[in-house]
Every structure is written in structure tokens, then in C-alpha cells.
Amino acid sequence: MADTVREIERKYEADKTTQLPDLAGVDAIATVAEAGTEDLDAVYYDTAGLCLAAEGITLRRRTGGKDAGWHLKLPVAPGVRDEVRASLSDTPPPELTALLRSRLLDRELVPVVRLHTHRTVQVLQDAKGAPLAEIAVDAVRARRAAAPAGRQKTKPAPAKARWHEIEVELAGDGDPGLLDAVGRKLTAAGVRPASAASKLARALAETGLRHEASAGHGDGPDGRPAERATKGAGKGGAAGAGKPGDTAGDVVLRYARVQVRAIIELDPAVRRDLPDSVHRMRVATRRLRSAFRSYTKVLDRAVTLPIGTELKWLAAELGVERDREVLTERLRSGLAGVPRELRLGPVDARLRIWSERRRAGARDRLLDVLDGPRYLSLLKTLYAFLEEPPLRKAAGRPAPEVVASAVLKDYRRLARRTDAALAAPAGQGRDEALHGARKAAKRTRYAAEAARPALGRPAKKFAKRTKRVQQVLGDHQDSVVARGALRELATQAQQAGEGGFTFGLLHGREEALAADRERALPDVWRKASRRKHRAALRP
């Protein structure tokens, strides 16, 4: 199993004559201890088109030093990376290459650069002698790695580069403010921040490999690294600021890129079981599919329909684990609110066993999905969609009129479903109608989010009001699902001779909550569906 270390560091330019200033007394640094020297030999791997480097990702096999092995570095924020480590082996370890699947697809990893580093290390310590950070002066020699078998005759002679640099890395979970203080001391001594984000980035630039990749010697469908199709996207659901003269195609594709980007970037986080990663990836699949369905005048439905089908499948697979997480937390919270004298039998243990059994199966199933051919095919299709988007004639029209029409069309669908749900008699049929209205509210909200760069504040407000409707309907549906789980738990408890009283009590509370949400819906819907809100969307 791979280990993960959070790496927070700063890099600075240096040369043979650079002298480090005395850092004792800077921030919490009391002493500076010499830690000797070490020689590191690292071979960096990437695709022929450097698709990993384009994403700020590095994969290396390093010998020498105290952490010899395979290192995969995934960007978290500027100056912050997660380093996933695995033991030395001759080829890239599967536990690391799996984390790269959404970028690599099925392209081959090859050695691209080899770095030899002579490192002189000092440890920055607090008053008790505990390490706060390490500062290293590195003398680096870089050269192109040997060509893969069968290509030696066509590959040019390896280019070489040399440089010096200073690297300051925080120890453990220390305060990043320490690095800022050290940086100020270094710059005051005439040391400049590094122009390259990493040793690999500098090596690729100075050996000419970066230029060759950008000149069209890549590995994407048109010779470029395919990952560049997703560059320029924002984070989460935001589609970025609109620009004067944006067409409908500009706005919708910008939103689509954000969602594709999220799916790609969250893949390794889901595999690593990081908090909230499954939920965020699932939301991205839903947002993208919703955009395909809302903006049919912009994107050719004949092309997006089969992609949407696959996104629906992926969202369902992600939902197995996510729904278990949400449901378990809801039931635990409910149990915590039951007085001790009414918690009859081993109800906590029963819930824990029920949840863990579901988790084991759900987790294994999700990893099988992410490693399977169907998911890989979907990823390739998403890249191809962004390379050649299936735009229709309306994509070239001014964005406001086209996107406003799409949002209002989704609103009318939501209105029909909400009115039908409110008119339905109590029971399972009404529960299903309310769930249908919830899905329509979510689609309308996502359409408004996508339209925000073109429509501005009115779209933001419209999405916010629609979200309130969605939340009320979501609370109701969560109660419906929770009651089904409680009936299952009560049955298991009774069969084991434990009794199901406490689970029945929770079932009754969930019924009351659902009834409360049904009573709240008409007022929430009335406020969200005022004519003036829709009028504000029209350009």
C-alpha cells in the first residue's frame, strides 16, 4: 500500500557562490543543524507528449537519500503537493499508475528525464530541538533519459543542463507561515524565488523536451497532449467570468470544461478515498449531463445523448458509496438524539455492522469500475468531446438570449412537476412525484449556474432560489430512503432477537420530518416561482 506525505515547500534560484544567511532567530527557528550531504538519482516518467508535466504532476523513481522509492506528486495548491510513495521496483508500481489513469488513459509511460542531485541539508529547529523545516542547497545535473527500446536511432543525442537551487520544505504539519518568514530572509539576502515550479519543469525546459512537446510531438489525437483540451477550466461548478461578445457556445463549453476537469482531477482523490471526493465527482457528472440535456440548441443531442447515458451510469456507481455515507451519518445522528432509556438493544453496533458491510462491497465495486474498460472509454469520449465539440447553429448566437431560453424551459418543466406533486394524494405515488420534482429542480439550478457568465446576478439569484426548492425536496427524499433502511435494520434486529423498538421510533421521526417538508414546500415554491424572477433572466 502506498504512503502519502503532504509536501509544502518553496524554491529559490542559486549558483555556486550562493551563501545561505543565518536563519536562527527567524520566526520560531532557534537553531540550524547541519545534516550532511546526499546524492540523489531520479528518473522521471511521463508520456511522449508530457501529459503529466502539463498538469504539474511528476512520477519518478529515485535512489539515494532517506526516501528512496517511487514518488508520485499530485498538485494540491501553489507550493503544496501530495507525494504518494511506493517501494522501489523496476517498473512504475500499479498502485501509482492507477492514480494517473484519468490522465494517461491507455498511453505508455516512458522515462523522459534523469536528474542527479548533490544535496547539502540543514535542519531548522525550534527551541526544543524539534525540526521545523529543512533547507537544502542542490547542485542539479539533468539530461534526457535513454530512449525507449526501438527508438534509439531516431531520438537525438540527450541534451544536458546544470543549475543550483535552494529548497525549503516544511516538516510535518507545521505552520506555512514559517516558510514565508524564511523566504523574506532569503530575498533580503539577494536570493530570488525560482522561475520554475519544480526541478522537472526546469529540466524539461532546459533540455528542449518541453519545446518539442508544445511544437506538436505529443500523444493526443492531433499530436498534442490530449490533457490540454481541459486546460483553462475553473474549479467546482463555477464557469468563470463571461466576456463581452461571448456566444452561447463559449458559455456552455466553458461550463462543460469545468465539469470534465473535475472528473479528471477527482479520479485519484476518489481512488485514495479522500473526504468528499466521491460526492464532488458525482456532482460533476450530474452537472455535465444536465448541461447536455438543458442546452440542446447549443450541443448536438445525437452526440451528447450517449455520453449522458454513460455519465448517468458513472453517477450511479459513485452513488453507491456516497449514498451509504450520507445515510449512515443521518441514522447515526438520529440515534444520538434518542434518550438512552429508549435505545433498547445493541442498536449502535447493529448500525455499525450494517454500514461496514455495505461499505466494503461499495468500495471494492467502485474501484473495479474506475479500473474497468467502460470508464476508460467514457474518459476518452470526454476528451474527444472537448477536442471537437458538437456545436449546433445556435452556438454562434449571442449567449444571453440562448441560455435564458434554456433556463426558462427547464423552469417550466420544474413547475409542471411541482404542481403535480403538490396535487398528488399522500402515499408512495406522492413520494415519487416529489422525487421527480427534486430532479427537475436540480436540473434547473444547474442550467442557471451555467448561464451565470452570460446573465450575471439574475442567474445567480435564480439558481439560489431553485436550490432552496431542491433542498426541501431533497430532505423529503432522504427521509424516504432513511425509512427504508430503518425498516431493514428493524427486521434484522428482530430476527436476531434484539427487538426493533428504537429503529421504529426513528422511523416515526422520519415520517414526521417528511410531513414537515411537505408542508413547507408550497411556501418555498411560491417564493421561488414569482414572475419577476423569471422576467429578470430575459436579456
Side-chain angles (χ1 to χ4, degrees), residues 390-464:
L391 298 175
R392 299 185 64 194
K393 185 176 181 179
R397 291 166 52 190
E401 60 181 85
V402 177
V403 298
S405 175
V407 174
L408 292 173
K409 180 180 179 181
D410 280 346
Y411 164 80
R412 290 190 291 271
R413 179 172 173 269
L414 167 61
R416 291 193 298 271
R417 291 198 178 187
T418 303
D419 291 343
L422 290 172
Q428 182 179 351
R430 188 176 198 187
D431 289 344
E432 293 174 353
L434 289 169
H435 184 42
R438 177 199 183 190
K439 291 189 285 187
K442 188 178 297 185
R443 175 168 156 181
T444 305
R445 171 194 161 196
Y446 290 160
E449 286 178 351
R452 184 179 169 186
L455 302 180
R457 190 172 179 83
K460 179 181 179 181
K461 288 186 174 181
F462 194 84
K464 186 176 181 180

Side-chain angles (χ1 to χ4, degrees), residues 315-339:
E317 295 292 351
L318 291 165
V320 173
E321 168 66 2
R322 172 61 182 173
D323 290 346
R324 184 207 62 82
E325 289 178 354
V326 173
L327 180 55
T328 298
E329 181 56 35
R330 185 183 186 96
L331 298 180
R332 283 176 178 162
S333 178
L335 277 176
V338 175

